Amino acid sequence: MAKKLCVVFPGRRYSTDRSLLYFPTRILESHGFETFLLHYDVPREVEEVEPLEVNIRNAARDTLNATASIPFEEYDEVVFLSKSIGTLVACNLKNYLGRRIQSLHQILVTPLEQTLPLIEKNDLVIVGDHDRFFPDAREKLALYPNAYVFPSFTHSLEAKGNYRLSIKTLGDICGIVDSYLQSLDL
């Protein structure tokens, strides 16, 4: 049986126990993946005082320290599931690890625009078309076959004031993640 690992990269104030990471993580576990949850030291209740770039740099440092002991080469399949600043950190870690990982796939939820040059054709990308951190997402991701751009949604992928639509969208996203994993035969 294949040995599988999922590393979950949170957002700046979006922890791994929030819906856009929690439920896809459960889907990955149902496909036989062990999970490794990263945590950044950015409390979600506190208004942000540090610039985004500082948060990204700190998250990258924390991630390198936290993942240093993971024997990536022992896994047959690895998935990086990430949100927001975590997408940039995950893509950079993938490049840093290079050939140590035989098969690495990425699920990028609301990536930052800075992540675009690092996104590969086979990556799954989920974003809203009103995301201020990824303007003009539909046009910029047009050539990516696994890109899903949700109309009228912002960076949170929630419909403010419409919990039913938010729940439906979360269900759609979970279906997309499950279908993606099935298409990869993971």
Side-chain angles (χ1 to χ4, degrees):
M1 185 149 127
K3 191 171 178 184
K4 304 175 185 181
L5 174 69
C6 171
V7 180
V8 184
F9 299 76
R12 177 165 47 172
R13 289 188 310 236
Y14 198 94
S15 62
T16 59
D17 63 347
R18 293 191 62 193
S19 60
L20 292 171
L21 294 175
Y22 177 84
F23 290 107
T25 299
R26 302 293 78 79
I27 292 167
L28 282 148
E29 288 173 343
S30 77
H31 284 265
F33 282 81
E34 298 173 37
T35 54
F36 185 87
L37 306 175
L38 292 167
H39 304 279
Y40 310 139
D41 191 22
V42 181
R44 97 176 128 189
E45 298 81 19
V46 177
E47 282 298 314
E48 202 55 51
V49 293
E50 293 181 326
L52 184 63
E53 293 74 26
V54 172
N55 288 140
I56 292 168
R57 194 170 42 253
N58 291 342
R61 180 202 60 225
D62 293 347
T63 297
L64 279 176
N65 291 336
T67 60
S69 62
I70 296 176
F72 286 105
E73 56 280 345
E74 293 179 12
Y75 289 91
D76 302 303
E77 301 288 345
V78 177
V79 170
F80 285 175
L81 169 62
S82 57
K83 166 103 173 69
S84 190
I85 70 169
T87 63
L88 188 57
V89 174
C91 287
N92 282 320
L93 181 60
K94 179 180 180 180
N95 289 339
Y96 172 77
L97 293 171
R99 300 210 179 270
R100 281 181 55 195
I101 302 176
Q102 294 176 19
S103 179
L104 191 150
H105 305 280
Q106 295 209 77
I107 300 171
L108 308 163
V109 181
T110 66
L112 302 179
E113 185 176 25
Q114 300 96 301
T115 309
L116 185 60
L118 303 171
I119 297 173
E120 296 179 3
K121 294 286 184 206
N122 61 336
D123 292 340
L124 174 60
V125 183
I126 300 169
V127 67
D129 71 351
H130 285 81
D131 188 335
R132 69 184 177 104
F133 293 105
F134 202 119
D136 305 314
R138 187 170 308 285
E139 294 81 19
K140 292 174 182 171
L141 294 170
L143 298 177
Y144 294 85
N146 297 314
Y148 293 83
V149 182
F150 284 81
S152 302
F153 279 87
T154 63
H155 193 65
S156 68
L157 290 176
E158 292 179 19
K160 301 292 183 212
N162 188 341
Y163 71 89
R164 284 187 177 99
L165 181 56
S166 295
I167 292 169
K168 181 194 175 306
T169 302
L170 177 59
D172 292 344
I173 291 167
C174 289
I176 290 166
V177 169
D178 193 41
S179 294
Y180 175 72
L181 294 172
Q182 289 177 32
S183 76
L184 297 172
D185 199 26
L186 300 182

